[in-house]
Amino acid sequence: MIDDNQLYERAKRLKLILKHLEIKGKTFAKAIGISQGMISNLLNGKRSITLELVDKITYRYTQINPAWLLFEYGTMLKTEEQDQHRLVAEPQVPY
């Protein structure tokens, strides 16, 4: 279970992402396919950032480091090495 401090810290990191991207919450919400209400709750620390949400964020904004967003591990932006060694293996689709 996530405590209030963790919610606050993740909200703070999400705000840093918006600042880095130079976009408003409304634009960010639309880009990742969530409601304005949900982004507001996330930014205010009233709702937890789920793995599904991290997936949506990192799918749309591939430079964002999911480990940093969730755990403040590493840097906000992926390094070239992190990009080559993804945290989750992509499924192999036969052709």
Side-chain angles (χ1 to χ4, degrees):
M1 181 102 186
I2 295 178
D3 64 32
D4 288 344
N5 188 52
Q6 289 173 317
L7 284 174
Y8 171 76
E9 290 300 319
R10 287 182 182 176
K12 201 164 76 171
R13 290 192 292 277
L14 190 56
K15 289 176 187 176
L16 288 171
I17 289 171
L18 294 180
K19 184 175 180 178
H20 170 77
L21 296 172
E22 298 179 343
I23 59 175
K24 302 277 185 200
K26 177 181 178 179
T27 305
F28 185 73
K30 187 174 182 178
I32 62 172
I34 64 172
S35 71
Q36 288 178 326
M38 184 171 183
I39 195 69
S40 178
N41 286 335
L42 290 164
L43 291 170
N44 291 319
K46 294 180 181 176
R47 185 156 185 174
S48 178
I49 297 173
T50 63
L51 291 176
E52 180 182 359
L53 184 61
V54 170
D55 188 45
K56 287 180 179 192
I57 293 168
T58 58
Y59 180 78
R60 174 64 178 86
Y61 300 101
T62 57
Q63 72 272 34
I64 301 299
N65 178 358
W68 176 83
L69 179 56
L70 284 172
F71 310 112
E72 201 170 8
Y73 178 79
T75 58
M76 176 175 33
L77 302 179
K78 289 182 190 175
T79 64
E80 187 174 318
E81 182 178 318
Q82 287 170 321
D83 207 25
Q84 291 173 358
H85 303 289
R86 298 184 190 272
L87 292 176
V88 178
E90 294 182 10
Q92 299 297 314
V93 179
Y95 294 100

